[in-house]
Amino acid sequence: MKNYWTIEEVAQELSVTTRTVRNYLKSGELSGIKVGGQWRFTAENIRRLVGVNSPLISFSENKETDKDYQEAIIAFNLPIRSEDESSNYRNLLLEQYNKVYSGENRNFYYENVSPKVVRIILSGSAKYVLNFGAWIEQKFY
């Protein structure tokens, strides 16, 4: 995957004009860095602009260099009966996440997939993902 894009490449990819890309920069909707006086954008900069922030993409693009660090990702789809049940699940999960799991390189995502399903995605160290995943399995399955 390409590391950096120019204004022209971003405009072409998004099917907009270079002026539109510059307006995104001016308004703060798009961020990037200047290299030799020219703007350069990462995939993450572009994803933020278009509203795509997939944990799976972030996980697959992570280039961790520490050979002792083992990264993992896991997803659960939980059936729910009501919005209240979804809120209760979310609060319980956040409480456990904040109480037990600390440190960097850990991510917790919670999203309503449909009125009957919520999705939980965990990524980070293998130990964190497996332990929190086991707790979720015991609590909700």
Side-chain angles (χ1 to χ4, degrees):
M1 175 171 261
K2 190 172 183 170
N3 291 333
Y4 291 98
W5 285 266
T6 65
I7 285 180
E8 292 77 16
E9 291 168 330
V10 171
Q12 184 177 1
E13 188 66 30
L14 298 177
S15 299
V16 297
T17 66
T18 57
R19 171 82 343 245
T20 299
V21 174
R22 291 179 192 284
N23 287 340
Y24 290 149
L25 277 166
K26 188 175 180 180
S27 70
E29 294 174 79
L30 175 63
S31 59
I33 60 169
K34 275 197 169 181
V35 177
Q38 295 185 346
W39 283 101
R40 296 291 185 261
F41 309 95
T42 64
E44 186 62 30
N45 297 140
I46 298 165
R47 278 193 209 104
R48 279 193 204 117
L49 171 68
V50 297
V52 175
N53 186 16
S54 167
L56 186 56
I57 291 171
S58 298
F59 177 82
S60 63
E61 289 181 351
N62 185 13
K63 305 290 189 250
E64 184 66 47
T65 57
D66 182 356
K67 66 180 181 179
D68 294 329
Y69 180 74
Q70 295 179 332
E71 190 172 26
I73 189 168
I74 191 169
F76 295 90
N77 284 342
L78 295 175
I80 56 170
R81 292 181 291 268
S82 69
E83 195 173 307
D84 286 342
E85 188 173 48
S86 174
S87 292
N88 291 340
Y89 281 4
R90 185 180 58 250
N91 292 340
L92 196 62
L93 288 158
L94 284 172
E95 181 181 322
Q96 180 70 5
Y97 175 77
N98 289 322
K99 182 170 78 174
V100 177
Y101 303 100
S102 63
E104 295 181 23
N105 298 324
R106 67 181 182 126
N107 294 294
F108 168 74
Y109 303 90
Y110 185 94
E111 64 178 323
N112 290 311
V113 177
S114 74
K116 296 187 179 221
V117 176
V118 295
R119 179 172 297 139
I120 301 159
I121 302 173
L122 308 170
S123 69
S125 74
K127 184 176 181 179
Y128 156 73
V129 169
L130 294 172
N131 286 337
F132 198 7
W135 181 86
I136 291 169
E137 180 185 27
Q138 289 175 344
K139 199 74 172 168
F140 299 104
Y141 289 94

